[in-house]
Amino acid sequence: MTTALITGVTGQDGSYLAELLLGKGYEVHGVIRRASSFNTQRLDAIYRDPHEVGVRFRMHYGDLSDSGSLVNLIRQLEPDEIYHLGAQTHVKVSFDVPEYTSDATGMGTVRILEAIRSSGISTRFYQASSSEMFGSAPPPQNEDTPFHPRSPYGVAKVFAHWMTVNYREAYGMFATNGILHNHESPRRGETFVTRKISRAVARIKAGLQEKLYLGNLDATRDWGYAPEYVEAMWMMLQHDTPDDFVIATGEGHTVREFAQVAFGHADLDWEQYVEVDPDYYRPAEVDKLIGDPSKAKRVLGWEPRTNFEELARLMVNADVKLLEDELAGRLVRLDRDQ
């Protein structure tokens, strides 16, 4: 049985990846930080199957700032594959906490690479690089596009990316970088713009919210569907040699377009509800991120399947259903209390 270790397993990508690997017969181990409350909602689909938990899926406490815990865990498990997805991933927040972002996102990667090297195990390592590394580089961005990050998050990811390349070249490690452009889903965090929009659509439709405040409506991004992007991660580690790949759809759409499609799907006029708030602008803006996934298609056989409009609609549908379930649950509790 192939064994995989996932950092950031409780996040959007980590949860989808865990489900994918379990479906392929893997034994999956996830790293979780100790906190006063559980943050495992995205793993509910796995936890609902008692045959998976404790048998082929296990959680371990650890932290990207604690090299000792990482070394001990990697030595203990000797995983065949390591997917490093954990980081401080919010671009706007990285301007507020640049030191923490640099440590968790940049040095966290070094600590895992060193743990692999010092333990002497033979494993395949995946580093979650980001399109934010391209920053102001003109699109379309491919594997040869020079990096010009415009945020502490992007800078930290560039550091982690090149450290992965360095360990690959210096120590012969199977270390691969996946440069993923924006990828979304109903599991996306509520502070990220696409989920912020889809959640607001559901609440406005239900009469629970009046306005949605956004930042730069002209920012252009290459948006794909997260479950398809984690498939690309797995495909990279099945390839014969370690390499770096851009994963994207090749299409760019503005935040304004996402709002138009999302509100329109609920028969709402987005212009009546969306207002621009300068507080949501970044100190240094990234205008256009559009990827060129031709290498991934040619070498890995990977292609995106969900288009932009489908993505926006499925996110709205999911948030409408989630809100309906929440409201129904509240009514049931009220009836019980009366």
Side-chain angles (χ1 to χ4, degrees), residues 41-288:
Q41 297 91 338
R42 294 184 180 94
L43 299 169
D44 282 347
I46 295 173
Y47 280 114
R48 280 196 292 268
D49 187 345
H51 298 293
E52 300 288 13
V53 180
V55 179
R56 290 200 300 124
F57 179 76
R58 302 175 188 174
M59 301 282 276
H60 306 266
Y61 287 118
D63 197 296
L64 295 176
S65 65
D66 180 12
S67 58
S69 66
L70 298 175
V71 170
N72 292 335
L73 186 58
I74 288 173
R75 282 178 175 170
Q76 172 194 340
L77 298 177
E78 297 186 357
D80 301 291
E81 298 171 2
I82 295 177
Y83 296 86
H84 178 39
L85 314 182
Q88 192 299 101
T89 59
H90 200 285
V91 175
K92 180 66 166 63
V93 171
S94 76
F95 285 99
D96 299 323
V97 288
E99 183 178 344
Y100 171 74
T101 299
S102 300
D103 186 68
T105 306
M107 287 303 299
T109 301
V110 176
R111 294 181 184 111
I112 293 181
L113 289 167
E114 264 300 284
I116 296 171
R117 187 191 66 82
S118 63
S119 64
I121 68 167
S122 177
T123 189
R124 297 191 170 200
F125 175 77
Y126 172 86
Q127 161 62 17
S129 289
S130 168
S131 61
E132 287 289 335
M133 300 188 306
F134 294 123
S136 60
Q141 296 105 5
N142 61 29
E143 293 80 5
D144 296 320
T145 301
F147 299 136
H148 190 159
R150 300 268 286 170
S151 67
Y153 170 76
V155 172
K157 280 293 187 180
V158 169
F159 174 80
H161 176 94
W162 282 115
M163 288 300 291
T164 300
V165 172
N166 183 257
Y167 272 70
R168 179 170 73 212
E169 295 176 349
Y171 304 113
M173 289 171 52
F174 194 110
T176 288
N177 285 297
I179 309 174
L180 273 56
H181 279 252
N182 293 63
H183 46 290
E184 319 298 313
S185 78
R187 297 183 189 177
R188 190 60 143 149
E190 294 175 0
T191 59
F192 289 85
V193 68
T194 52
R195 183 72 195 288
K196 187 177 179 181
I197 292 171
S198 63
R199 188 169 181 268
V201 169
R203 292 178 60 81
I204 289 171
K205 187 73 173 178
L208 300 177
Q209 184 173 328
E210 295 182 356
K211 293 289 184 178
L212 169 63
Y213 297 94
L214 298 174
N216 182 8
L217 298 180
D218 295 318
T220 300
R221 294 293 183 269
D222 185 328
W223 278 304
Y225 188 36
E228 297 168 7
Y229 282 46
V230 301
E231 290 178 16
M233 298 177 189
W234 176 79
M235 295 171 76
M236 288 181 213
L237 292 198
Q238 312 317 304
H239 190 50
D240 292 336
T241 56
D243 205 345
D244 305 325
F245 296 92
V246 167
I247 303 299
T249 69
E251 295 182 5
H253 297 275
T254 63
V255 173
R256 178 181 286 102
E257 288 178 82
F258 196 97
Q260 289 173 333
V261 175
F263 276 88
H265 184 55
D267 296 320
L268 297 171
D269 180 0
W270 75 278
E271 291 183 297
Q272 294 183 19
Y273 303 100
V274 175
E275 293 188 8
V276 173
D277 185 344
D279 286 343
Y280 288 112
Y281 276 78
R282 302 173 183 176
E285 285 289 328
V286 173
D287 295 323
K288 289 186 178 181

